[in-house]
Amino acid sequence: MNRLNSLALFVLLLSALIYGIIEWRTAAIEQDTLIVDVERPDFIAEKLKSRIYNEMGQLSHTIEAERMEHYADLEVSYFEAPHYTLYPQKDGQPWKVSAQEATLYKDNRVELKTQVHIQATEVDSLIKEIYCKTIALDLKTNIISSEQAVIVVGKDFTMYGSGLIIDLNTKKMTLTQHERTIYKKHDES
């Protein structure tokens, strides 16, 4: 009887092991299928051009991009080579922001990455251009921020530092960590 119990226990354990392996493989296949479905965009736009207006009918910002992928389930859109033009709320001159890639979240927050370039369009602006690796842009408030190293190019100066906050509506800029500033008077001929 002892051998019969041992054989029955062995068959039971072998059956449980085979059942567990089958269930594990089936779950892995279902998970892979789910991941593939989640990664598919709901729609793709090539050579995107869009104008967005605020509640009062004023132009808030424009976006142009080589490609945009929208994922409804994730409530996110990805952009390749985005170019934003931001229009401050108080009739100020627009600012241009570009990068290699961007992610737009449902709360109108944009993260721009890789070769970020911010440019003032106002002719007499003290700050002309800003360069950095990444920025966060709030499209509702027109506030740009970055914790990365930045280069600020202005009229007769170039400033190096990190930690940037810009409110485009009030034209206030804060540089958290200032490293150095180089002054050079440009000849106006």
Side-chain angles (χ1 to χ4, degrees):
M1 192 75 172
N2 210 1
R3 285 186 182 170
L4 188 59
N5 286 342
S6 297
L7 184 61
L9 182 61
F10 177 73
V11 170
L12 180 64
L13 288 175
L14 183 63
S15 299
L17 179 65
I18 292 171
Y19 177 76
I21 290 172
I22 291 171
E23 285 297 312
W24 175 70
R25 302 250 321 146
T26 305
I29 291 170
E30 289 174 2
Q31 182 67 25
D32 289 345
T33 304
L34 180 63
I35 289 171
V36 169
D37 288 343
V38 169
E39 291 179 359
R40 264 192 217 127
D42 293 294
F43 66 87
I44 298 171
E46 302 280 341
K47 306 288 185 195
L48 173 75
K49 291 184 180 184
S50 181
R51 292 173 167 256
I52 291 81
Y53 296 87
N54 63 20
E55 304 84 30
M56 298 169 38
Q58 299 167 323
L59 188 59
S60 170
H61 62 277
T62 63
I63 174 76
E64 294 182 21
E66 289 296 315
R67 179 181 172 92
M68 188 265 304
E69 296 178 354
H70 178 70
Y71 298 83
D73 290 344
L74 301 173
E75 297 179 320
V76 67
S77 297
Y78 297 106
F79 296 89
E80 292 177 12
H83 296 272
Y84 280 89
T85 303
L86 308 170
Y87 296 88
Q89 297 170 356
K90 298 206 173 24
D91 298 325
Q93 293 293 318
W95 286 75
K96 295 183 180 281
V97 180
S98 62
Q100 291 296 315
E101 58 186 277
T103 305
L104 171 65
Y105 298 95
K106 70 176 183 174
D107 60 355
N108 276 338
R109 184 177 48 87
V110 181
E111 288 183 9
L112 293 108
K113 299 176 186 170
T114 315
Q115 297 179 355
V116 178
H117 179 230
I118 304 168
Q119 181 179 10
T121 60
E122 189 175 334
V123 177
D124 294 331
S125 178
L126 179 64
I127 296 172
K128 303 293 183 187
E129 297 175 293
I130 300 170
Y131 300 92
C132 56
K133 290 182 182 179
T134 63
I135 64 163
L137 164 62
D138 188 329
L139 293 172
K140 288 187 257 182
T141 62
N142 278 339
I143 293 177
I144 297 171
S145 61
S146 177
E147 295 179 9
Q148 302 289 322
V150 296
I151 300 171
V152 179
V153 179
K155 185 176 182 180
D156 301 329
F157 70 90
T158 302
M159 187 182 307
Y160 299 86
S162 60
L164 176 72
I165 300 172
I166 304 173
D167 185 340
L168 297 179
N169 297 318
T170 62
K171 297 182 182 179
K172 289 184 181 178
M173 181 185 93
T174 304
L175 190 62
T176 307
Q177 172 118 17
H178 176 261
E179 292 176 15
R180 66 184 164 149
T181 301
I182 300 171
Y183 294 95
K184 182 178 180 183
K185 182 76 173 158
H186 295 285
D187 294 329
E188 295 183 27
S189 302

